Amino acid sequence: MTTDALGTAAAGRGGALLVVGDVITDVVARHRGPLAAGTDTAAAIRTVPGGAGANVACWAARAGGAEVRLLGRVGADAAAWHERELAECGVRPRLVVDPEAPTGTVICLVDTGEAAERTFLTDSGASLRLEPDDWSDALLDGVAWLHLSGYLLFSEPSRALVAVALESARTRGVPVSLDPASAGFLRELGVDRCLSLIEGVDVLLPSRDEACLLTGLADAADAADAAAKLSRHVPLVVVKQGAEGAVIARSGSVYARVSAVAATPRDTTGAGDAFTGGFLAALLAGAAPEDAAADGCRAGALAVERVGGRPPMPD
């Protein structure tokens, strides 16, 4: 199937988007300037629902159109809260409650300077304990597109789940996308191993740092070379560049660049997830990849002007 036909084919199936990934409790601490080591740094602190997979699902649901479902794993400590928050965003959650591990938690340190840059301290908890027993082929009933959070690549149980889900999607002819999720964790996993794990994925949605890492072009000034190189492994590659928009490549060459939407950033947490959710919703509705990327840029711009990684609640 050509990349232009992906969205049309998925839209023609008339089915849902299934996201498989992490559901996390985010503790967002917004501070100004460097942290004061060994003493206090004033910050505004909020606890909000997050997780890359869950955020993508919520932004896709916000776009309307196809039904959005989510498979994730949480601890008993916050299961009811996360289920309620997801449902209020229009997502149909299927949350496995882990009998031992607590819900994953991320401390998001956000410098409130001009770039609103963020640093994560991550305790994945139950989120990366998703395993093949949590998967059922019936999860793909009525599904036109499967999206996998890249965080699933970073533990043995969830890597096994990815393999099972990919095989199930191939059998049913369901297109699959993946967001690599974290340059730091990718570095630990190893590039060759990552590329082997995502074999069979139809659409890859890395950030510029992740794309450059996966191609060995860590010093690239522009994401175009990395996008083009990755598109020799994955049919469609969409590299997210934040304020510089997105680059789209296929068959070893760049074929579109999409401009960002102007925004005044408050918190960049979840901006890439917002892009992915907006992109997938548009692609599932039949949009061409460049038009879907424009929707992704609009969602990303809205995301950076908010605290936390989720969209505003519907009225």
Side-chain angles (χ1 to χ4, degrees):
M1 183 183 297
T2 67
T3 54
D4 282 339
L6 279 173
T8 302
R13 294 165 63 94
L17 167 66
L18 172 62
V19 179
V20 182
D22 43 321
V23 180
I24 296 287
T25 298
D26 284 346
V27 180
V28 182
R30 300 177 69 242
H31 62 95
R32 180 169 288 278
L35 296 174
T39 187
D40 297 316
T41 299
I45 300 174
R46 288 178 57 190
T47 299
V48 295
N55 292 344
V56 167
C58 289
W59 283 97
R62 179 185 182 275
E67 176 185 292
V68 180
R69 308 172 188 174
L70 172 72
L71 172 65
R73 193 175 180 103
V74 295
D77 57 313
W81 179 58
H82 278 293
E83 185 163 0
R84 182 173 64 252
E85 292 287 332
L86 288 162
E88 287 181 359
C89 281
V91 176
R92 287 186 56 188
R94 176 170 173 173
L95 301 184
V96 179
V97 178
D98 195 293
E100 299 175 6
T103 302
T105 300
V106 172
I107 308 297
C108 309
L109 304 176
V110 181
D111 187 336
T112 59
E114 184 177 345
E117 194 52 69
R118 79 281 192 274
T119 300
F120 295 154
L121 303 175
T122 302
D123 179 351
S124 298
S127 68
L128 296 192
R129 288 164 59 93
L130 269 173
E131 59 185 6
D133 285 348
D134 297 327
W135 178 263
S136 164
D137 288 345
L139 287 168
L140 291 178
D141 289 349
V143 167
W145 195 281
L146 172 64
H147 177 72
L148 302 172
S149 168
Y151 280 104
L152 296 172
L153 301 178
F154 305 135
S155 80
E156 195 56 49
S158 54
R159 279 193 291 270
L161 173 77
V162 166
V164 170
L166 275 170
E167 181 58 34
S168 182
R170 287 191 199 104
T171 299
R172 294 210 183 188
V174 175
V176 182
S177 54
L178 184 139
D179 184 329
S182 167
F185 286 166
L186 281 176
R187 196 171 287 110
E188 293 179 17
L189 178 66
V191 170
D192 290 343
R193 190 174 189 193
C194 178
L195 292 175
S196 68
L197 289 168
I198 66 174
E199 186 176 348
V201 165
D202 298 284
V203 180
L204 190 68
L205 293 134
S207 68
R208 173 163 49 189
D209 288 348
E210 292 155 5
C212 290
L213 177 63
L214 287 171
T215 54
L217 300 173
D219 296 325
D222 175 320
D225 290 344
K229 188 172 180 180
L230 274 176
S231 70
R232 299 187 185 106
H233 299 275
V234 178
L236 182 68
V237 175
V238 183
V239 177
K240 298 173 285 188
Q241 301 190 96
E244 296 178 37
V247 175
I248 307 173
R250 61 184 178 188
S251 304
S253 63
V254 169
Y255 86 93
R257 295 177 184 264
V258 178
S259 298
V261 174
T264 302
R266 294 182 65 205
D267 176 9
T268 56
T269 303
D273 304 332
F275 179 102
T276 296
F279 175 86
L280 292 176
L283 200 67
L284 195 55
E290 57 270 34
D291 296 325
D295 277 12
C297 286
R298 284 189 283 272
L302 178 59
V304 300
E305 294 186 329
R306 297 176 50 77
V307 174
R310 296 282 175 89
M313 286 291 186
D315 296 331

